[in-house]
Amino acid sequence: MLLKVRLLFSIIYFPYAILRRVLLFIRKKTQRIPPITDSLFTFSATTLAKKIRQREITCYDVVNAYIEHIKKVNPFLNAFVDNRFGDAIYEAKICDEQLANGKFDIEKLEKEKPLFGVPLTVKECCAVKGCSHTGCSLALKGMKASCDAEVIELLRNAGAIPVCVTNTPEMCAGIDSSNLLYGRTRNPYDTRYSPGGSSGGEGALLGAGASVIGIGSDSAGSIRVPALFSGVFGHKPTNEIVSTRRHLPLFEDKVHQKLLTFGPMARYAEDLGLLMRVLMSKCDRNLRLNEPVNLRQLKVYYRFSMDKAFGILPIVPEMEDCVQRAVKHFMQNDIRAEKLPIEWPTEVVEIVFTELVKAKNAPNILIDANDPKVKKNPVIEMLKTLFGLSQHTKQATFYNILMETRFLFSESDISHYTKQGTAIRQKLLDLLGEDGVFICPTFRCPAILPGLSICETLSMGYCAIFNTFGFPALHVPMGLNHEGLPIGVQVIAAPYQDRLCLAIAKELETAFGGWVPPSISISE
């Protein structure tokens, strides 16, 4: 255990606990976001695409309804940062004209363009031609994407229509989607809280019912944590099977490239599978996504917590209870479930940080507006943030300090934790094989307060360990807690067994209801 790092955070936790109580007392619950009033918002992307193909609804009506709802909820959430509403409406009308003219055969359309006419939202760090592509960094203000990222090309070719790009922390460095360029995004279930990060704007729009499918990115939980906080599904695919070209920040080092992936976020479990099939359409690895999964032949393993060692904030009981409820459901339905039978390391956080410090060329987070090649001193920038004199956020500067100091790791520390990580990864590989899944919490609590996210840095170990191992991992929503905040679990499988995560997600959605709208008022 690296006591230097854990001791530092242990000192932080006492004032953090006090500040959290004070802020919750001061910040009264605000007005709920505008309710969902159109039954269109209760359909999955899969269903919407089918209804559009069969001309039961028009593409224009779907795209326009989502754009109008985005406009209604955004003043409460500050979730999207740039839009292509006019272009999206124009493209939707073209889709309707093509269907009316009989240009497409329905069966061929379903096979070749399964997302035909469906609106799509995208995390700002992923390039969408003509939209903001700044990494939400003040230094890059005004930059627009000159072309689409490869994942957006695939989705467009499948018929999806991008409508807007969504907010993130500065250069995706943090778990609170706040920056000096576009401001702070708020949680759709309780605007006092953060929707998480770094795909926080994406999670917030989805959770509010203002998006049906989206694309996020994940190098340490940046899809799954916002999915938890906003009550939706978020899947981190197996490492290195989805192109990450045109991601900001640019990860040139192979270590960072292996940790990072784009992945799908959605309100309905079935849409994750559809999105994955589109994203894998040009992949040379067969993930067998169309093969049915017999759940009764699966081995389900579980843990209630990832790390209870010194220096780690305790997991709240309701997150452990989600795992227990999932396990109980499996056992009641003749699906074998047992506690993870291998010894779990107490140094999960150290194993994660070790992988990060191996990178020889960390991305430049603190970009200078006048000269991007200038390397700023993160300690000086942190001091400047205290007086509002920096161009950067506390999150970004703190992350840079950790990277510059290599998390206080020595070479012997790195060697020790690398060996530990390799050993536990191999044990998990042997255990899960091609028919095993692992259920555990996604995060230690259901929400965090903006401005205090640095104090939860070590809690990212719940998700980040599976980026380190390269395993697919998926967050599944399982309803709301007593405060009305979303809760859920994380599902992990061995590399290239993404389909097992997807199958478990659909099973748990059926059992526990999946996404719950934060506010709804639909006349039957």
Side-chain angles (χ1 to χ4, degrees):
M1 182 188 300
L2 197 65
L3 286 175
K4 292 173 285 187
V5 173
R6 294 192 181 231
L7 183 60
L8 171 65
F9 279 92
S10 295
I11 294 169
I12 293 173
Y13 291 152
F14 181 69
Y16 170 49
I18 296 173
L19 275 171
R20 187 179 184 279
R21 289 179 178 272
V22 170
L23 289 174
L24 280 174
F25 178 77
I26 293 172
R27 298 173 183 172
K28 302 299 181 183
K29 266 196 172 183
T30 56
Q31 182 182 356
R32 294 172 71 88
I33 65 171
I36 293 171
T37 58
D38 192 326
S39 60
L40 276 176
F41 300 120
T42 65
F43 296 129
S44 68
T46 304
T47 300
L48 285 174
K50 182 178 180 181
K51 287 180 175 293
I52 289 170
R53 285 194 301 269
Q54 297 179 345
R55 301 185 66 187
E56 295 177 20
I57 54 177
T58 67
C59 179
Y60 169 81
D61 284 342
V62 173
V63 172
N64 186 62
Y66 270 97
I67 288 174
E68 290 304 311
H69 196 51
I70 289 171
K71 291 177 180 177
K72 286 180 183 177
V73 302
N74 204 60
F76 296 82
L77 303 179
N78 188 37
F80 85 86
V81 298
D82 197 7
N83 72 80
R84 54 186 310 278
F85 293 160
D87 289 338
I89 290 291
Y90 175 72
E91 290 164 11
K93 289 179 178 178
I94 290 177
C95 288
D96 288 331
E97 289 175 5
Q98 290 174 332
L99 286 172
N101 295 334
K103 181 176 180 179
F104 296 112
D105 173 83
I106 290 180
E107 290 185 5
K108 186 177 181 181
L109 192 63
E110 181 180 5
K111 182 179 179 181
E112 297 182 1
K113 291 184 179 293
L115 290 169
F116 189 77
V118 176
L120 167 75
T121 54
V122 183
K123 185 178 180 180
E124 200 264 6
C125 70
C126 179
V128 175
K129 185 177 180 180
C131 286
S132 174
H133 189 50
T134 64
C136 295
S137 169
L138 187 61
L140 299 180
K141 182 178 180 179
M143 284 189 61
K144 303 276 188 177
S146 58
C147 60
D148 289 327
E150 288 184 25
V151 291
I152 303 305
E153 287 181 5
L154 290 169
L155 291 162
R156 280 187 188 268
N157 290 339
I161 300 177
V163 295
C164 67
V165 292
T166 54
N167 205 24
T168 76
E170 179 182 1
M171 283 296 175
C172 297
I175 55 173
D176 176 24
S177 292
S178 175
N179 57 74
L180 300 181
L181 179 56
Y182 294 119
R184 172 170 287 133
T185 300
R186 293 173 285 276
N187 191 300
Y189 290 84
D190 185 336
T191 55
R192 295 177 299 174
Y193 289 99
S194 168
S198 58
S199 307
E202 200 57 42
L205 272 192
L206 284 159
S211 175
V212 64
I213 51 172
I215 290 294
S217 66
D218 193 315
S219 62
S222 291
I223 286 175
R224 289 158 287 160
V225 171
L228 163 63
F229 291 174
S230 292
V232 298
F233 294 87
H235 181 55
K236 181 204 83 68
T238 298
N239 289 21
E240 299 186 285
I241 61 171
V242 177
S243 169
T244 54
R245 289 188 63 189
R246 299 195 175 278
H247 179 281
L248 276 180
L250 174 65
F251 290 104
E252 295 180 338
D253 187 274
K254 289 185 178 180
V255 171
H256 278 117
Q257 288 176 0
K258 287 177 67 176
L259 296 175
L260 175 70
T261 182
F262 284 124
M265 301 176 71
R267 298 206 317 268
Y268 299 98
E270 67 176 343
D271 292 339
L272 294 178
L274 175 57
L275 286 164
M276 280 298 293
R277 286 191 289 275
V278 171
L279 295 178
M280 293 293 97
S281 58
K282 292 187 178 180
C283 180
D284 57 4
R285 183 89 189 204
N286 182 11
L287 299 189
R288 299 182 293 158
L289 295 173
N290 290 320
E291 288 186 21
V293 175
N294 187 339
L295 296 181
R296 286 180 173 79
Q297 292 182 355
L298 286 184
K299 299 173 293 184
V300 177
Y301 304 98
Y302 63 92
R303 273 187 67 89
F304 295 123
S305 178
M306 298 294 281
D307 194 336
K308 291 188 176 181
F310 169 73
I312 301 295
L313 285 167
I315 188 168
V316 300
E318 61 196 0
M319 303 307 288
E320 292 185 329
D321 182 60
C322 279
V323 177
Q324 182 64 63
R325 287 193 292 132
V327 169
K328 184 178 180 181
H329 169 75
F330 293 137
M331 297 180 74
Q332 288 176 340
N333 288 274
D334 299 321
I335 302 169
R336 193 178 78 185
E338 62 177 281
K339 284 187 177 180
L340 195 71
I342 58 180
E343 185 178 353
W344 192 252
T346 56
E347 294 95 351
V348 166
V349 169
E350 286 83 353
I351 292 170
V352 168
F353 285 170
T354 296
E355 197 66 21
L356 289 174
V357 300
K358 287 180 186 177
K360 296 178 181 178
N361 298 303
N364 185 13
I365 300 296
L366 307 182
I367 299 174
D368 189 289
N370 298 316
D371 185 356
K373 294 182 181 179
V374 170
K375 190 172 184 179
K376 294 186 176 182
N377 185 316
V379 176
I380 292 175
E381 290 301 321
M382 178 59 86
L383 292 173
K384 289 167 69 175
T385 65
L386 301 177
F387 301 96
L389 300 175
S390 178
Q391 291 183 326
H392 309 287
T393 62
K394 291 183 179 69
Q395 284 188 108
T397 51
F398 182 68
Y399 175 79
N400 242 45
I401 288 171
L402 290 177
M403 292 301 293
E404 290 282 331
T405 59
R406 293 163 62 86
F407 297 89
L408 305 177
F409 281 28
S410 66
E411 289 300 323
S412 61
D413 291 330
I414 293 172
S415 175
H416 171 71
Y417 294 124
T418 297
K419 289 178 182 177
Q420 270 209 326
T422 300
I424 189 66
R425 181 183 187 275
Q426 188 57 54
K427 288 179 181 179
L428 271 178
L429 276 174
D430 294 340
L431 184 70
L432 297 179
E434 294 187 356
D435 60 354
V437 294
F438 176 34
I439 311 290
C440 66
T442 304
F443 200 75
R444 73 163 201 94
C445 59
I448 59 172
L449 287 173
L452 300 178
S453 62
I454 287 173
C455 303
E456 293 282 0
T457 299
L458 301 192
S459 301
M460 293 303 293
Y462 279 88
C463 281
I465 190 66
F466 301 111
N467 295 80
T468 301
F469 292 164
F471 289 16
L474 192 159
H475 172 73
V476 180
M478 289 176 59
L480 308 179
N481 70 0
H482 65 285
E483 293 181 279
L485 295 171
I487 50 178
V489 297
Q490 185 176 197
V491 183
I492 297 97
Y496 311 112
Q497 305 305 320
D498 297 58
R499 68 193 189 99
L500 303 185
C501 296
L502 299 172
I504 292 292
K506 291 182 74 172
E507 176 67 17
L508 292 178
E509 179 184 44
T510 301
F512 298 101
W515 170 69
V516 178
S519 54
I520 189 166
S521 177
I522 298 177
S523 299
E524 293 297 334

